[in-house]
Amino acid sequence: MVAYLLVILAYKASQERSAVDWQDDVAGALGTLVRSAVVPAVYRSVADDTTGSDVLAILCAVDCTSLPEYFDIQKLLTPLLGYPGYLDIRVYETLQRESEAIEVPTSATKHYLVFNAMTPDDGVDGEFNDWYADEHIPMLRAVPGWRASTRFRLLSARAGTISRPPRYLALHEWETREAFATPEFKAATSTPWRRRVVVERVHQKERHLLEYCSRM
């Protein structure tokens, strides 16, 4: 069995629905379409100084034999959104070791997720991935409040606001937003290697700061 990460980004979703409503209703709806070992995780965007997008993010690890069609997902979720809006629906494969299962954040308590997607310039993929594995994630582990970092590569995408989303996705899970103000986080995001690879050689970026729709 091969598992993939299903990502659904619903733009301008209703803010009147509670976190519990979103978590329960989305999980129940998707449960009729996909086969998954875990309940889908639902997040709401949080505006900060780098992103102001209003998005509801749904993450779910799915069996390759049960990947739903785009229009089935749209038909299912549009009534919950409360408007005839648009969705980004994407499927990713993991960049973790083959022996590791895809990990979708499952904590029932409040936490934050940095959704960071990028496409490096041609010929830079090798160094880009080396930087992530050998420097960036090891340095993030030293930041107070860090929980997990998982990386993926895009396989397919439908509809949405951009014709082709960035090639690589990293999900960074944090206990609090205060982690971003620590010296350790600033050190992890301001190295010469990061500048050479990310600042100078990445031509497509997408970032969302997401808050888990917790019952707590």
Side-chain angles (χ1 to χ4, degrees), residues 11 74 78-79 81-87:
Y11 293 90
Q74 185 182 49
T78 294
L81 298 175
Y83 76 110
Y86 52 90
L87 306 174

Side-chain angles (χ1 to χ4, degrees), residues 10 18 24 28 42 46 64 100 129 132 148 150 165 208 211 216:
S18 70
D24 291 346
V42 182
V46 178
C64 66
E100 295 182 351
N129 289 322
Y132 244 117
T150 312
H208 302 288
E211 181 179 0
M216 305 299 289

Side-chain angles (χ1 to χ4, degrees), residues 8 18 40 50 83 88 97 103-104 110 148 152 166 174-175 199:
I8 303 170
S18 70
T50 60
Y83 76 110
D88 269 335
R97 294 189 301 271
E103 296 182 3
V104 175
K110 179 178 178 179
F152 303 89
W174 301 91
E175 291 179 4
V199 177

Side-chain angles (χ1 to χ4, degrees), residues 38-54:
V38 297
V39 175
V42 182
Y43 292 82
R44 270 180 170 155
S45 61
V46 178
D48 67 357
D49 59 352
T50 60
T51 178
S53 61
D54 182 10

Side-chain angles (χ1 to χ4, degrees), residues 61-84:
V62 297
D63 177 355
C64 66
T65 63
S66 64
L67 290 175
E69 295 294 331
Y70 168 78
F71 291 107
D72 290 337
I73 294 177
Q74 185 182 49
K75 181 178 179 180
L76 192 69
L77 294 184
T78 294
L80 298 180
L81 298 175
Y83 76 110

Side-chain angles (χ1 to χ4, degrees), residues 15 47 58 62 97 127 130 140 149 155 165 177 194 203 211:
Q15 296 297 311
I58 305 163
V62 297
R97 294 189 301 271
E127 186 178 11
D130 287 344
L140 290 181
S149 293
L155 287 180
R177 296 175 62 182
R194 180 188 182 278
H203 64 266
E211 181 179 0

Side-chain angles (χ1 to χ4, degrees), residues 62-214:
V62 297
D63 177 355
C64 66
T65 63
S66 64
L67 290 175
E69 295 294 331
Y70 168 78
F71 291 107
D72 290 337
I73 294 177
Q74 185 182 49
K75 181 178 179 180
L76 192 69
L77 294 184
T78 294
L80 298 180
L81 298 175
Y83 76 110
Y86 52 90
L87 306 174
D88 269 335
I89 300 176
R90 312 174 188 177
V91 177
Y92 293 87
E93 63 178 348
T94 181
L95 286 179
Q96 307 298 102
R97 294 189 301 271
E98 292 184 1
S99 60
E100 295 182 351
I102 287 181
E103 296 182 3
V104 175
T106 57
S107 173
T109 59
K110 179 178 178 179
H111 62 271
Y112 294 89
L113 196 70
V114 173
F115 181 107
N116 204 358
M118 291 185 271
T119 301
D121 295 343
D122 292 343
V124 185
D125 289 58
E127 186 178 11
F128 177 81
N129 289 322
D130 287 344
W131 163 74
Y132 244 117
D134 298 338
E135 179 185 87
H136 191 52
I137 291 180
M139 292 187 73
L140 290 181
R141 291 191 183 108
V143 180
W146 175 87
R147 285 184 174 180
S149 293
T150 312
R151 297 191 62 224
F152 303 89
R153 179 168 44 228
L154 183 71
L155 287 180
S156 64
R158 289 291 304 273
T161 58
I162 51 180
S163 58
R164 182 68 176 177
R167 184 182 309 141
Y168 296 104
L169 169 66
L171 299 178
H172 306 291
E173 185 181 350
W174 301 91
E175 291 179 4
T176 69
R177 296 175 62 182
E178 283 70 28
F180 308 144
T182 63
E184 293 88 349
F185 182 82
K186 293 178 180 178
T189 55
S190 59
T191 70
W193 196 2
R194 180 188 182 278
R195 173 171 290 277
R196 184 172 72 249
V197 174
V198 176
V199 177
E200 299 177 1
R201 302 301 303 276
V202 167
H203 64 266
Q204 185 184 22
K205 299 179 182 179
E206 176 190 17
R207 184 182 183 277
H208 302 288
L209 176 59
L210 305 169
E211 181 179 0
Y212 181 63
C213 290
S214 170

